[in-house]
Amino acid sequence: MSDLDKAIAQLRACRPIPEIQVRELCYKARELLIEEGNVVSVDAPVTICGDIHGQFHDLMELFRVGGDVPDTNYLFMGDFVDRGFYSLESFLLLLCLKVRYPDRITLIRGNHESRQITTVYGFYDECLRKYGSANVWRYCCDVFDYLALGALVMGAGHDLAPIDAPFADPSQSNTDADDVEIELLNSQGQILSRFPRNRGGTQDTSQLSNTPSSPSQTKEQTPSRNGAPGTGATSTSGGSANNSGGAVLCVHGGLSPLIDSIDKIRLLDRKQEVPHEGAMCDLLWSDPDEIDGWGLSPRGAGFLFGADIVDCFNRKNDLSLICRAHQLVMEGFKEMFSSTIVTVWSAPNYCYRCGNVAAILELSEDGANAGYAPRSNGDMNRSNGVQSEKEDKRPGPGRRYRVFDAAPQDSRGMPAKKPVADYFL
Amino acid sequence: MSTIPHLNTLRSGRRGPRLRGRRGPPHAGSEDAGRFDEEDVEIGKDRIIQQTDQDASSSRMSAVSLGYLDDPFAKTLFPAGEQVPKRYPIINRGTYVRTKAIDKLVIRFLETNPNEQKQIISLGAGSDTRFFRLCAGKYKVRYHELDFESNVVPKRAAIRASEELSRMTLPSDNGSTYHLHAIDLRDLTNKSPPVLPGMSTEIPTLILSECCLCYLPPDTASSVIQYFTMNIPGSIAMILYEPIRPFDSFGKTMVSNLGSRGIELRTLKRYYSLDAQRQRLRLSGFKEGQGARDVYQLWESDEWTSKDERERIEKLEWLDEIEEWKLLASHYCVAWGWRGEPFEQAWKEVEGGRTPDEQRDDEVG
């Protein structure tokens, strides 16, 4: 058993590894990450995960539900640290897995992978508490600076790869398995529901979430794609024929008014602390919202962006979907703007307080293309700027969401530190 | 959600009726070290509730030290030598909104007919500084603070140790007085309840309960309110600050988490929504008007939190947890109700009526 495998075993048991080993790990990880572009290319099949926030036991539950590394190909969209009690163990385990199986796991940067934010939201204090010095925090922050800013998933299939799974409710078992666009599974691997491709109807897939129970969930209408994109962009694309699922852009937060093409992301100098403003900051901080164009973010960094912005960006870059994390959604995932963007959230009962479920998103490999599809990036199929007619079928890839609760209580030890003033007393 | 680590299960177990005042023989199984005498459990629970003031005091100190609130007295009443605690930004913001909203209602009351003698009775006041911040030397107020002896003793000591606070608590020429009562509020529900020294039954009186009555059984909480509404026949009003919405998933988790710390929010299910709180105040005798707003509404509304203030607060700390802030803040409310003048004049224009959003509360309730 190599030292790395030993470290993985130790971290899987939620025990920190010695400082000297952390240093070595971080050094190796940096060497690996420095070779990655700002936007990593990832081939489907892949399982896309949102925020983890140091909820180690829930990360273990995620691996149980989604399959272990390296059997499953994972893409984590950042925010590994802060808030939970085990940021250190969670991040180091993911980093070990990255070094051990570099082609089977992709890590991109979240807004919490930052020196400034981790001093406010807990990771710094946790390192200090567990090692007695800030060295480990420094090593980790150095790794943060090298994490990619986004990932582009290629070759995701229009159709979901069939799985041999029973229905949670046996009376539904005769549901048509053909032409499924969205499949929803519980943590036992049972199918909760299936949604076929929308045949000219106006099925609102956001409705497949449960009735919202929190005020953050009040906006659930997904306006249909109409009206011209509010920018002067003339390059649109109906998607190329040999890319049936379309490319999927994964980024922690969202879009930036300074970025109108994926190539512009590639040109950024990312090897730095997350700046307070600018394109790199926006990618990690922005949120989609039911507005037109761009708006100010209540977070104090990044922007809000509307359906028109997403539509325009996706057309220009030949994307079928933007996948992002960053926002707590009570049902684990939330599709917006006619399923052109989805939020995936993977920290169940966030902060041990919010009572939400978590989700991961599986994209299948496109059978026809054996997992590889060239990306046209707006250069092919140029049209004259007129939007194509609304298509009867959604262009997006088949999406399988697995929804899970917080890890059972007996799987976790006592928290390292009792939470204080969680509420107003 | 039963997935929360239970840190204090021994104290949070099912409890029978309170045995206070009916001290019986020891529990039959009391030799068994694993079992708690119910009386011990009750005493332990009281202690936990008394300690919630330390939480409130810490949160106040955190908010003051970061510039959310201007409160020179928080430090004087904060235990000497203890480190200034650091709270998450959402807790600081919540502490700010709650303090300012209650202050606004209190100030409107004091500013209406400012020369008239008034009375404020603060239930479970703990280390609260409102008297020193708003009243002392400014208004003609009889100010009463009621709390457990264990919370009153350190406050009294801190006041005595400070020349400034001692001076402020002396009776002044204009008729202002300050009274600190060591009392178990449940004693006010006895058949022959104690008389509160210095309490007038003839001047307009405002009752404050900031996270206090919610720890009592609902009927006891009602009886405490009744003690005041019966004894003071004239103008009287009440301001409540309490958790609400226990039935959605955040609410359920909140109940379970606090339960694991031994904190039981006993009135929460009965007064589960803004409308239930308005109703409660109306039925408690504050017939002339009632209002209620959750903390998120108080933050978002220009009437309650001015745009300038919101911008100032937003700049104090990076608050990344927008969704969580909405969740947390919408699970606490300020509710108020009144009868008679000067309350009618002071509060009738204050925004607090039912909003369309509240429809959802009726559905889950």
Side-chain angles (χ1 to χ4, degrees):
Chain A
M1 203 187 206
S2 75
D3 284 352
L4 190 53
D5 286 328
K6 274 185 208 149
I8 290 173
Q10 192 168 336
L11 286 165
R12 274 186 197 274
C14 199
R15 292 200 309 271
I17 54 176
E19 182 175 320
I20 184 110
Q21 247 179 307
V22 178
R23 201 173 90 174
E24 199 183 333
L25 171 70
C26 289
Y27 181 77
K28 280 185 189 158
R30 249 169 43 195
E31 284 195 318
L32 201 65
L33 294 170
I34 202 169
E35 297 298 324
E36 292 188 342
N38 290 348
V39 183
V40 194
S41 284
V42 175
D43 289 329
V46 63
T47 297
I48 300 168
C49 312
D51 294 26
I52 300 298
H53 281 303
Q55 298 186 195
F56 179 86
H57 300 88
D58 301 321
L59 176 61
M60 293 298 103
E61 177 71 0
L62 183 154
F63 283 136
R64 187 186 71 73
V65 169
D68 215 338
V69 183
D71 306 331
T72 302
N73 182 23
Y74 278 104
L75 195 169
F76 285 88
M77 297 188 290
D79 277 14
F80 316 110
V81 298
D82 282 344
R83 311 308 304 270
F85 298 119
Y86 306 99
S87 290
L88 182 84
E89 293 83 352
S90 305
F91 178 63
L92 291 181
L93 175 61
L94 290 171
L95 209 57
C96 275
L97 293 171
K98 175 69 189 172
V99 172
R100 178 75 177 78
Y101 309 102
D103 299 327
R104 299 298 289 167
I105 180 165
T106 305
L107 307 177
I108 65 176
R109 192 169 189 175
N111 63 312
H112 278 262
E113 276 72 57
S114 128
R115 289 167 187 79
Q116 195 181 347
I117 293 288
T118 49
T119 51
V120 177
Y121 285 104
F123 181 50
Y124 175 84
D125 292 335
E126 184 185 326
C127 289
L128 215 57
R129 198 169 62 240
K130 289 179 178 170
Y131 289 96
S133 84
N135 290 343
V136 163
W137 174 76
R138 274 190 213 101
Y139 301 147
C140 292
C141 288
D142 287 345
V143 175
F144 294 162
D145 288 344
Y146 286 82
L147 290 168
L149 303 179
L152 199 58
V153 178
M154 317 284 258
H158 184 270
D159 301 315
L160 275 174
I163 50 164
D164 184 24
F167 272 81
D169 174 6
S171 69
Q172 291 194 325
S173 56
N174 54 359
T175 308
D176 195 359
D178 291 336
D179 213 17
V180 172
E181 180 181 17
I182 299 171
E183 193 170 72
L184 195 56
L185 277 74
N186 65 17
S187 63
Q188 315 310 315
Q190 297 164 322
I191 299 168
L192 293 171
S193 46
R194 272 181 178 150
F195 297 84
R197 292 271 160 194
N198 190 9
R199 293 186 183 85
T202 52
Q203 175 199 13
D204 182 357
T205 50
S206 76
Q207 296 296 341
L208 60 88
S209 299
N210 297 323
T211 308
S213 55
S214 72
S216 69
Q217 303 295 305
T218 49
K219 295 171 186 163
E220 54 175 333
Q221 284 313 112
T222 55
S224 57
R225 199 191 294 172
N226 55 18
T231 75
T234 55
S235 172
T236 63
S237 166
S240 65
N242 56 358
N243 187 7
S244 58
V248 177
L249 177 68
C250 299
V251 60
H252 179 73
L255 299 175
S256 165
L258 299 168
I259 297 281
D260 62 352
S261 74
I262 289 170
D263 284 340
K264 288 215 175 129
I265 305 178
R266 297 185 209 274
L267 293 175
L268 297 172
D269 175 18
R270 78 167 191 268
K271 292 165 190 90
Q272 55 168 327
E273 168 75 347
V274 182
H276 283 217
E277 55 189 18
M280 177 168 160
C281 166
D282 298 343
L283 293 169
L284 273 54
W285 278 92
S286 294
D287 299 304
D289 197 9
E290 308 289 346
I291 56 169
D292 287 325
W294 298 96
L296 283 179
S297 169
R299 296 179 196 262
F303 291 88
L304 301 175
F305 54 95
D308 51 344
I309 302 293
V310 174
D311 184 57
C312 181
F313 189 89
N314 286 7
R315 281 168 187 275
K316 174 162 181 172
N317 292 281
D318 199 15
L319 299 174
S320 59
L321 180 68
I322 294 174
C323 194
R324 44 89 63 176
H326 196 40
Q327 274 180 299
L328 167 66
V329 281
M330 296 301 281
E331 287 76 28
F333 72 97
K334 184 182 180 186
E335 299 194 345
M336 291 171 76
F337 309 157
S338 308
S339 300
T340 53
I341 187 165
V342 59
T343 301
V344 178
W345 182 265
S346 305
N349 196 21
Y350 179 44
C351 292
Y352 315 102
R353 170 167 69 184
C354 289
N356 60 293
V357 297
I360 50 178
L361 165 58
E362 292 178 5
L363 299 179
S364 306
E365 175 178 19
D366 182 14
N369 288 295
Y372 177 75
R375 193 171 58 86
S376 64
N377 205 12
D379 293 329
M380 293 163 65
N381 300 336
R382 270 177 180 275
S383 69
N384 58 5
V386 176
Q387 287 188 34
S388 56
E389 288 293 300
K390 243 193 202 174
E391 290 162 277
D392 280 352
K393 291 195 170 192
R394 290 171 191 280
R399 308 184 285 289
R400 177 172 289 131
Y401 294 99
R402 293 184 189 265
V403 175
F404 59 101
D405 283 315
Q409 193 180 332
D410 54 14
S411 78
R412 61 173 87 229
M414 292 283 259
K417 197 174 172 219
K418 192 172 165 180
V420 286
D422 272 329
Y423 299 97
F424 304 121
L425 300 173
Chain B
M1 297 272 152
S2 60
T3 51
I4 310 305
H6 282 264
L7 303 171
N8 212 346
T9 40
L10 280 178
R11 278 181 174 159
S12 67
R14 306 273 164 272
R15 273 164 239 104
R18 276 179 45 82
L19 295 182
R20 233 175 125 271
R22 291 193 274 128
R23 195 176 283 272
H27 198 283
S30 61
E31 315 82 54
D32 181 351
R35 292 174 71 171
F36 273 70
D37 187 292
E38 286 193 21
E39 179 107 4
D40 293 340
V41 172
E42 279 302 322
I43 291 168
K45 213 168 71 176
D46 283 359
R47 199 177 302 128
I48 290 167
I49 300 305
Q50 289 155 30
Q51 285 165 355
T52 60
D53 180 56
Q54 290 164 11
D55 238 61
S57 168
S58 292
S59 297
R60 187 180 308 117
M61 218 27 230
S62 171
V64 169
S65 68
L66 288 161
Y68 283 85
L69 294 168
D70 180 22
D71 182 350
F73 309 104
K75 197 161 174 39
T76 321
L77 291 175
F78 190 71
E82 264 187 47
Q83 219 189 343
V84 175
K86 208 172 104 189
R87 293 281 188 253
Y88 278 125
I90 53 172
I91 298 292
N92 292 327
R93 190 180 280 189
T95 303
Y96 166 84
V97 175
R98 143 208 195 161
T99 305
K100 285 294 189 183
I102 297 171
D103 281 359
K104 178 189 161 101
L105 291 166
V106 172
I107 290 169
R108 286 184 81 114
F109 164 54
L110 294 172
E111 283 286 329
T112 310
N113 311 335
N115 294 321
E116 180 188 22
Q117 176 86 42
K118 301 187 177 78
Q119 180 166 252
I120 293 177
I121 300 172
S122 177
L123 309 179
S127 54
D128 186 53
T129 57
R130 194 163 274 113
F131 168 74
F132 301 101
R133 289 189 294 111
L134 302 186
C135 301
K138 293 181 197 151
Y139 299 100
K140 282 168 74 173
V141 182
R142 289 195 192 190
Y143 205 103
H144 303 264
E145 295 190 331
L146 281 61
D147 210 326
F148 287 111
E149 189 171 6
S150 65
N151 285 342
V152 164
V153 168
K155 187 164 195 174
R156 194 170 278 148
I159 291 171
R160 279 195 188 134
S162 154
E163 208 182 302
E164 189 186 12
L165 297 194
S166 300
R167 194 163 14 89
M168 293 171 97
T169 52
L170 292 175
S172 76
D173 302 339
N174 69 6
S176 293
T177 51
Y178 175 75
H179 310 264
L180 199 46
H181 305 277
I183 187 173
D184 185 330
L185 287 180
R186 290 167 295 203
D187 293 347
L188 297 177
T189 67
N190 292 347
K191 274 216 176 87
S192 45
V195 173
L196 288 177
M199 186 179 100
S200 162
T201 56
E202 281 147 13
I203 54 178
T205 299
L206 171 60
I207 316 286
L208 296 176
S209 165
E210 273 189 83
C211 271
C212 170
L213 292 177
C214 55
Y215 300 124
L216 296 175
D219 293 340
T220 311
S222 300
S223 304
V224 170
I225 298 175
Q226 207 174 30
Y227 172 87
F228 296 104
T229 52
M230 301 295 269
N231 280 300
I232 300 170
S235 292
I236 187 165
M238 177 152 206
I239 302 174
L240 294 158
Y241 170 75
E242 293 194 344
I244 48 168
R245 301 186 173 126
F247 301 118
D248 61 16
S249 53
F250 183 95
K252 283 180 192 156
T253 310
M254 171 167 76
V255 169
S256 150
N257 275 352
L258 289 174
S260 73
R261 288 168 67 178
I263 298 169
E264 206 184 340
L265 303 166
R266 297 200 190 183
T267 64
L268 178 55
K269 285 192 176 153
R270 190 176 295 186
Y271 310 120
Y272 65 91
S273 68
L274 296 177
D275 234 19
Q277 291 281 17
R278 291 188 197 101
Q279 183 95 325
R280 165 200 198 172
L281 287 162
R282 193 169 59 79
L283 296 176
S284 300
F286 306 100
K287 289 191 168 67
E288 221 159 312
Q290 308 85 32
R293 280 290 179 268
D294 70 38
V295 168
Y296 188 67
Q297 292 172 323
L298 294 171
W299 168 253
E300 290 280 308
S301 146
D302 289 348
E303 193 199 312
W304 285 97
T305 309
S306 74
K307 229 175 152 220
D308 289 351
E309 267 295 87
R310 259 202 310 276
E311 277 170 15
R312 182 183 75 84
I313 297 297
E314 276 167 356
K315 281 189 194 128
L316 290 176
E317 283 186 286
W318 229 342
L319 185 127
D320 181 34
E321 321 308 315
I322 295 294
E323 300 75 35
E324 214 191 336
W325 160 244
K326 281 186 199 169
L327 277 174
L328 182 68
S330 63
H331 283 79
Y332 287 84
C333 78
V334 174
W336 60 98
W338 70 90
R339 73 173 179 227
E341 292 294 356
F343 296 106
E344 174 73 8
Q345 199 187 328
W347 290 355
K348 70 169 188 272
E349 304 289 338
V350 174
E351 165 195 292
R354 189 179 162 93
T355 62
D357 285 359
E358 291 177 36
Q359 188 68 31
R360 272 184 302 136
D361 292 326
D362 303 336
E363 284 155 17
V364 285

